[in-house]
Amino acid sequence: MDIHEYQAKEILQGFGVKIPPGGLAYSPEQATYRAHEIGGSKWVVKAQVHTGGRGKAGGVKVCDDEHGVFDAANEMFGKKLVTQQSGPNGKVVYRVYVEGGIEIERELYLGFVLDRSSERIMVVASRFGGMEIEEIAEGEPGSIVRSVVDPAVGLTEFHAREIAFNLGFSASQIQQAVATIQGCYRAFRDLDATMVEINPLVVTQDGLIMALDAKMGFDDNAMFRRPEISELRDKSQEDPRETRAADRGLSYVGLEGNIGCIVNGAGLAMATMDMIQLAGGEPANFLDIGGGASPERVAKAFRLVRSDEKVEAILVNIFAGINRCDWVAEGVVLALQANPVDVPIIVRLAGTHVEEGRQILVDSGLPVIMASTLSDAAEKAVASCRKSTPVTFQMEAAS
Ligand code: ADP
Ligand code: MG
């Protein structure tokens, strides 16, 4: 789960990281009022969207007076911000954050990620910030400091000081840098984060170390025990298809293709998507309905996949190990009788009681296309999408 910059900043501030004064606004008038509250003579208006690269896309505007703040906010509200990281659909701006303008001396990069190979939190930092870590890695690879934290001792002051020296902080700045680095680490560890990124971390002209940007991501599987974090969720920033799925306990990732997939098991779902591509098609989604695959879950899955208007065919691929194909088939029949689906449905069943399962589908009289193998199913799904409309259903006897 991702959160907004202003939320991440507030959290990190609670762990001792310095941030500029700022306030959230839902309208240009409120943005102006925020600027007035903050005071000073320079402000930065920042679109709050779950994506980076806002600066280059017009989502971060420096303003010299309150009219400028009003205009910048007015320009941003309701706009779809498409950045290098947002994907082609972009993210709509519903909130802006107004912040005091900071006189920057230098910009650095400070990130914390979960390193899966060492199974530890890793600090990734660079004395060059403001640009994306990929660009730093390309342009200034030697500047990147990587340091793995031992969970038994945590990120000690000694360790943080070593990182701070590597980032070129002066002796008078080391203590602030250590507090920032340790603060981020504690926030990461204590809140089940998967990512903390401050880019840029800046040294101001007054010698202060501050986070000018902040990004945090959290482990979805831990959110049940972090109510204070899960309430920061902003559904307006998520793919609505994925939000619907998450709310129903289904594991779904929306994709760009037109073949909807309903599969039990993540590995089988991945293999199904590969086979569709091999057959010349494009999957519309990844969907793992889980081991149980009860009629209710199958029905939910059909509704979800069908709610994506791009879907022109649905491939149901079930391997029944502990489950039974005849139960799954009953689920498919119940789901389709209750909610008829107007696109071709291709079903491939394998495993326990497969013959009974197929027979149930054939006897149901529903326009289901049976497939014997996964590649057969993928080819039939691709072929049924290519057929010109209106689509004619075909029935095949169980093989
Ligand atoms: P993004 O990473 O989405 O482009 P940032 O928050 O990093 O957005 O802002 C982009 C750039 O704008 C920063 O690298 C920094 O140079 C500048 N900037 C951001 N916030 C401020 C601020 N409060 N004062 C001065 N400059 C800022
Ligand atoms: Mg940034």
PDB file of all heavy atoms in Angstrom, residues 240-262:
ATOM      1  N   PRO A 240      -9.191   1.081 -10.061  1.00  0.00           N
ATOM      2  CA  PRO A 240     -10.464   0.683  -9.450  1.00  0.00           C
ATOM      3  C   PRO A 240     -10.717  -0.814  -9.511  1.00  0.00           C
ATOM      4  O   PRO A 240     -11.342  -1.381  -8.616  1.00  0.00           O
ATOM      5  CB  PRO A 240     -11.511   1.454 -10.266  1.00  0.00           C
ATOM      6  CG  PRO A 240     -10.808   2.003 -11.447  1.00  0.00           C
ATOM      7  CD  PRO A 240      -9.353   2.052 -11.130  1.00  0.00           C
ATOM      8  N   ARG A 241     -10.198  -1.478 -10.529  1.00  0.00           N
ATOM      9  CA  ARG A 241     -10.380  -2.931 -10.630  1.00  0.00           C
ATOM     10  C   ARG A 241      -9.668  -3.611  -9.461  1.00  0.00           C
ATOM     11  O   ARG A 241     -10.176  -4.537  -8.846  1.00  0.00           O
ATOM     12  CB  ARG A 241      -9.784  -3.453 -11.953  1.00  0.00           C
ATOM     13  CG  ARG A 241     -10.441  -2.860 -13.189  1.00  0.00           C
ATOM     14  CD  ARG A 241      -9.740  -3.315 -14.461  1.00  0.00           C
ATOM     15  NE  ARG A 241      -8.350  -2.867 -14.527  1.00  0.00           N
ATOM     16  CZ  ARG A 241      -7.511  -3.168 -15.519  1.00  0.00           C
ATOM     17  NH1 ARG A 241      -7.897  -3.930 -16.506  1.00  0.00           N
ATOM     18  NH2 ARG A 241      -6.279  -2.721 -15.518  1.00  0.00           N
ATOM     19  N   GLU A 242      -8.457  -3.125  -9.149  1.00  0.00           N
ATOM     20  CA  GLU A 242      -7.688  -3.742  -8.063  1.00  0.00           C
ATOM     21  C   GLU A 242      -8.295  -3.426  -6.706  1.00  0.00           C
ATOM     22  O   GLU A 242      -8.265  -4.247  -5.791  1.00  0.00           O
ATOM     23  CB  GLU A 242      -6.226  -3.291  -8.144  1.00  0.00           C
ATOM     24  CG  GLU A 242      -5.541  -3.920  -9.340  1.00  0.00           C
ATOM     25  CD  GLU A 242      -4.123  -3.442  -9.570  1.00  0.00           C
ATOM     26  OE1 GLU A 242      -3.498  -2.926  -8.643  1.00  0.00           O
ATOM     27  OE2 GLU A 242      -3.648  -3.585 -10.706  1.00  0.00           O
ATOM     28  N   THR A 243      -8.875  -2.238  -6.569  1.00  0.00           N
ATOM     29  CA  THR A 243      -9.516  -1.870  -5.306  1.00  0.00           C
ATOM     30  C   THR A 243     -10.692  -2.796  -5.036  1.00  0.00           C
ATOM     31  O   THR A 243     -10.853  -3.310  -3.929  1.00  0.00           O
ATOM     32  CB  THR A 243     -10.022  -0.415  -5.386  1.00  0.00           C
ATOM     33  OG1 THR A 243      -8.939   0.399  -5.800  1.00  0.00           O
ATOM     34  CG2 THR A 243     -10.541   0.073  -4.054  1.00  0.00           C
ATOM     35  N   ARG A 244     -11.511  -3.010  -6.082  1.00  0.00           N
ATOM     36  CA  ARG A 244     -12.673  -3.895  -5.927  1.00  0.00           C
ATOM     37  C   ARG A 244     -12.230  -5.289  -5.503  1.00  0.00           C
ATOM     38  O   ARG A 244     -12.810  -5.915  -4.631  1.00  0.00           O
ATOM     39  CB  ARG A 244     -13.443  -3.991  -7.247  1.00  0.00           C
ATOM     40  CG  ARG A 244     -14.573  -2.973  -7.390  1.00  0.00           C
ATOM     41  CD  ARG A 244     -15.535  -3.393  -8.480  1.00  0.00           C
ATOM     42  NE  ARG A 244     -14.905  -3.457  -9.790  1.00  0.00           N
ATOM     43  CZ  ARG A 244     -14.769  -2.423 -10.616  1.00  0.00           C
ATOM     44  NH1 ARG A 244     -15.235  -1.253 -10.280  1.00  0.00           N
ATOM     45  NH2 ARG A 244     -14.184  -2.565 -11.780  1.00  0.00           N
ATOM     46  N   ALA A 245     -11.156  -5.776  -6.145  1.00  0.00           N
ATOM     47  CA  ALA A 245     -10.660  -7.123  -5.846  1.00  0.00           C
ATOM     48  C   ALA A 245     -10.145  -7.197  -4.413  1.00  0.00           C
ATOM     49  O   ALA A 245     -10.469  -8.126  -3.674  1.00  0.00           O
ATOM     50  CB  ALA A 245      -9.555  -7.498  -6.825  1.00  0.00           C
ATOM     51  N   ALA A 246      -9.352  -6.194  -4.022  1.00  0.00           N
ATOM     52  CA  ALA A 246      -8.755  -6.213  -2.678  1.00  0.00           C
ATOM     53  C   ALA A 246      -9.859  -6.188  -1.631  1.00  0.00           C
ATOM     54  O   ALA A 246      -9.778  -6.874  -0.612  1.00  0.00           O
ATOM     55  CB  ALA A 246      -7.823  -5.014  -2.508  1.00  0.00           C
ATOM     56  N   ASP A 247     -10.918  -5.403  -1.885  1.00  0.00           N
ATOM     57  CA  ASP A 247     -12.025  -5.318  -0.937  1.00  0.00           C
ATOM     58  C   ASP A 247     -12.758  -6.653  -0.815  1.00  0.00           C
ATOM     59  O   ASP A 247     -13.467  -6.887   0.165  1.00  0.00           O
ATOM     60  CB  ASP A 247     -13.023  -4.236  -1.370  1.00  0.00           C
ATOM     61  CG  ASP A 247     -12.422  -2.848  -1.215  1.00  0.00           C
ATOM     62  OD1 ASP A 247     -11.373  -2.734  -0.548  1.00  0.00           O
ATOM     63  OD2 ASP A 247     -12.996  -1.888  -1.754  1.00  0.00           O
ATOM     64  N   ARG A 248     -12.627  -7.511  -1.822  1.00  0.00           N
ATOM     65  CA  ARG A 248     -13.297  -8.805  -1.788  1.00  0.00           C
ATOM     66  C   ARG A 248     -12.338  -9.949  -1.498  1.00  0.00           C
ATOM     67  O   ARG A 248     -12.679 -11.120  -1.682  1.00  0.00           O
ATOM     68  CB  ARG A 248     -13.997  -9.044  -3.139  1.00  0.00           C
ATOM     69  CG  ARG A 248     -15.249  -8.225  -3.284  1.00  0.00           C
ATOM     70  CD  ARG A 248     -15.653  -8.031  -4.727  1.00  0.00           C
ATOM     71  NE  ARG A 248     -16.807  -7.145  -4.808  1.00  0.00           N
ATOM     72  CZ  ARG A 248     -16.756  -5.829  -4.656  1.00  0.00           C
ATOM     73  NH1 ARG A 248     -15.602  -5.230  -4.405  1.00  0.00           N
ATOM     74  NH2 ARG A 248     -17.839  -5.097  -4.735  1.00  0.00           N
ATOM     75  N   GLY A 249     -11.129  -9.633  -1.101  1.00  0.00           N
ATOM     76  CA  GLY A 249     -10.165 -10.652  -0.711  1.00  0.00           C
ATOM     77  C   GLY A 249      -9.604 -11.455  -1.876  1.00  0.00           C
ATOM     78  O   GLY A 249      -9.117 -12.565  -1.680  1.00  0.00           O
ATOM     79  N   LEU A 250      -9.692 -10.910  -3.085  1.00  0.00           N
ATOM     80  CA  LEU A 250      -9.137 -11.623  -4.235  1.00  0.00           C
ATOM     81  C   LEU A 250      -7.817 -10.962  -4.624  1.00  0.00           C
ATOM     82  O   LEU A 250      -7.652  -9.758  -4.496  1.00  0.00           O
ATOM     83  CB  LEU A 250     -10.103 -11.549  -5.431  1.00  0.00           C
ATOM     84  CG  LEU A 250     -11.458 -12.229  -5.259  1.00  0.00           C
ATOM     85  CD1 LEU A 250     -12.391 -11.828  -6.385  1.00  0.00           C
ATOM     86  CD2 LEU A 250     -11.301 -13.742  -5.218  1.00  0.00           C
ATOM     87  N   SER A 251      -6.913 -11.790  -5.133  1.00  0.00           N
ATOM     88  CA  SER A 251      -5.608 -11.275  -5.504  1.00  0.00           C
ATOM     89  C   SER A 251      -5.622 -10.975  -7.004  1.00  0.00           C
ATOM     90  O   SER A 251      -5.591 -11.879  -7.822  1.00  0.00           O
ATOM     91  CB  SER A 251      -4.573 -12.346  -5.157  1.00  0.00           C
ATOM     92  OG  SER A 251      -3.327 -11.945  -5.588  1.00  0.00           O
ATOM     93  N   TYR A 252      -5.715  -9.683  -7.347  1.00  0.00           N
ATOM     94  CA  TYR A 252      -5.965  -9.269  -8.722  1.00  0.00           C
ATOM     95  C   TYR A 252      -5.000  -8.163  -9.135  1.00  0.00           C
ATOM     96  O   TYR A 252      -4.752  -7.247  -8.360  1.00  0.00           O
ATOM     97  CB  TYR A 252      -7.401  -8.742  -8.797  1.00  0.00           C
ATOM     98  CG  TYR A 252      -7.848  -8.188 -10.135  1.00  0.00           C
ATOM     99  CD1 TYR A 252      -8.588  -8.964 -11.018  1.00  0.00           C
ATOM    100  CD2 TYR A 252      -7.556  -6.882 -10.504  1.00  0.00           C
ATOM    101  CE1 TYR A 252      -9.007  -8.453 -12.229  1.00  0.00           C
ATOM    102  CE2 TYR A 252      -7.976  -6.357 -11.720  1.00  0.00           C
ATOM    103  CZ  TYR A 252      -8.702  -7.151 -12.575  1.00  0.00           C
ATOM    104  OH  TYR A 252      -9.124  -6.644 -13.780  1.00  0.00           O
ATOM    105  N   VAL A 253      -4.479  -8.270 -10.345  1.00  0.00           N
ATOM    106  CA  VAL A 253      -3.671  -7.186 -10.906  1.00  0.00           C
ATOM    107  C   VAL A 253      -4.221  -6.892 -12.297  1.00  0.00           C
ATOM    108  O   VAL A 253      -4.277  -7.778 -13.148  1.00  0.00           O
ATOM    109  CB  VAL A 253      -2.172  -7.567 -11.015  1.00  0.00           C
ATOM    110  CG1 VAL A 253      -1.369  -6.405 -11.595  1.00  0.00           C
ATOM    111  CG2 VAL A 253      -1.613  -7.967  -9.664  1.00  0.00           C
ATOM    112  N   GLY A 254      -4.653  -5.662 -12.525  1.00  0.00           N
ATOM    113  CA  GLY A 254      -5.218  -5.277 -13.824  1.00  0.00           C
ATOM    114  C   GLY A 254      -4.113  -5.131 -14.864  1.00  0.00           C
ATOM    115  O   GLY A 254      -3.054  -4.592 -14.585  1.00  0.00           O
ATOM    116  N   LEU A 255      -4.364  -5.640 -16.074  1.00  0.00           N
ATOM    117  CA  LEU A 255      -3.390  -5.531 -17.163  1.00  0.00           C
ATOM    118  C   LEU A 255      -4.078  -4.913 -18.380  1.00  0.00           C
ATOM    119  O   LEU A 255      -5.252  -4.548 -18.317  1.00  0.00           O
ATOM    120  CB  LEU A 255      -2.817  -6.913 -17.490  1.00  0.00           C
ATOM    121  CG  LEU A 255      -2.101  -7.617 -16.326  1.00  0.00           C
ATOM    122  CD1 LEU A 255      -1.860  -9.082 -16.635  1.00  0.00           C
ATOM    123  CD2 LEU A 255      -0.794  -6.921 -16.010  1.00  0.00           C
ATOM    124  N   GLU A 256      -3.357  -4.849 -19.490  1.00  0.00           N
ATOM    125  CA  GLU A 256      -3.866  -4.090 -20.641  1.00  0.00           C
ATOM    126  C   GLU A 256      -4.633  -4.916 -21.668  1.00  0.00           C
ATOM    127  O   GLU A 256      -5.255  -4.361 -22.557  1.00  0.00           O
ATOM    128  CB  GLU A 256      -2.699  -3.381 -21.344  1.00  0.00           C
ATOM    129  CG  GLU A 256      -1.911  -2.420 -20.458  1.00  0.00           C
ATOM    130  CD  GLU A 256      -2.806  -1.395 -19.791  1.00  0.00           C
ATOM    131  OE1 GLU A 256      -3.699  -0.856 -20.467  1.00  0.00           O
ATOM    132  OE2 GLU A 256      -2.627  -1.151 -18.582  1.00  0.00           O
ATOM    133  N   GLY A 257      -4.582  -6.248 -21.599  1.00  0.00           N
ATOM    134  CA  GLY A 257      -5.145  -7.084 -22.670  1.00  0.00           C
ATOM    135  C   GLY A 257      -6.650  -7.253 -22.598  1.00  0.00           C
ATOM    136  O   GLY A 257      -7.357  -6.531 -21.891  1.00  0.00           O
ATOM    137  N   ASN A 258      -7.182  -8.234 -23.375  1.00  0.00           N
ATOM    138  CA  ASN A 258      -8.635  -8.416 -23.471  1.00  0.00           C
ATOM    139  C   ASN A 258      -9.110  -9.814 -23.064  1.00  0.00           C
ATOM    140  O   ASN A 258     -10.283 -10.135 -23.200  1.00  0.00           O
ATOM    141  CB  ASN A 258      -9.108  -8.087 -24.900  1.00  0.00           C
ATOM    142  CG  ASN A 258      -8.403  -8.942 -25.940  1.00  0.00           C
ATOM    143  OD1 ASN A 258      -7.511  -9.724 -25.601  1.00  0.00           O
ATOM    144  ND2 ASN A 258      -8.781  -8.784 -27.188  1.00  0.00           N
ATOM    145  N   ILE A 259      -8.195 -10.659 -22.589  1.00  0.00           N
ATOM    146  CA  ILE A 259      -8.619 -11.991 -22.138  1.00  0.00           C
ATOM    147  C   ILE A 259      -8.598 -12.031 -20.609  1.00  0.00           C
ATOM    148  O   ILE A 259      -7.537 -11.967 -19.987  1.00  0.00           O
ATOM    149  CB  ILE A 259      -7.721 -13.094 -22.727  1.00  0.00           C
ATOM    150  CG1 ILE A 259      -7.798 -13.039 -24.262  1.00  0.00           C
ATOM    151  CG2 ILE A 259      -8.138 -14.471 -22.190  1.00  0.00           C
ATOM    152  CD1 ILE A 259      -6.932 -14.037 -24.973  1.00  0.00           C
ATOM    153  N   GLY A 260      -9.798 -12.096 -20.033  1.00  0.00           N
ATOM    154  CA  GLY A 260      -9.905 -12.155 -18.580  1.00  0.00           C
ATOM    155  C   GLY A 260      -9.497 -13.531 -18.083  1.00  0.00           C
ATOM    156  O   GLY A 260      -9.787 -14.538 -18.732  1.00  0.00           O
ATOM    157  N   CYS A 261      -8.811 -13.579 -16.949  1.00  0.00           N
ATOM    158  CA  CYS A 261      -8.333 -14.866 -16.425  1.00  0.00           C
ATOM    159  C   CYS A 261      -8.889 -15.109 -15.028  1.00  0.00           C
ATOM    160  O   CYS A 261      -8.858 -14.219 -14.176  1.00  0.00           O
ATOM    161  CB  CYS A 261      -6.811 -14.869 -16.318  1.00  0.00           C
ATOM    162  SG  CYS A 261      -5.975 -14.534 -17.862  1.00  0.00           S
ATOM    163  N   ILE A 262      -9.407 -16.323 -14.821  1.00  0.00           N
ATOM    164  CA  ILE A 262      -9.864 -16.747 -13.488  1.00  0.00           C
ATOM    165  C   ILE A 262      -9.132 -18.052 -13.183  1.00  0.00           C
ATOM    166  O   ILE A 262      -9.380 -19.068 -13.843  1.00  0.00           O
ATOM    167  CB  ILE A 262     -11.397 -16.953 -13.467  1.00  0.00           C
ATOM    168  CG1 ILE A 262     -12.103 -15.628 -13.761  1.00  0.00           C
ATOM    169  CG2 ILE A 262     -11.841 -17.542 -12.124  1.00  0.00           C
ATOM    170  CD1 ILE A 262     -13.622 -15.727 -13.835  1.00  0.00           C
TER     171      ILE A 262
END
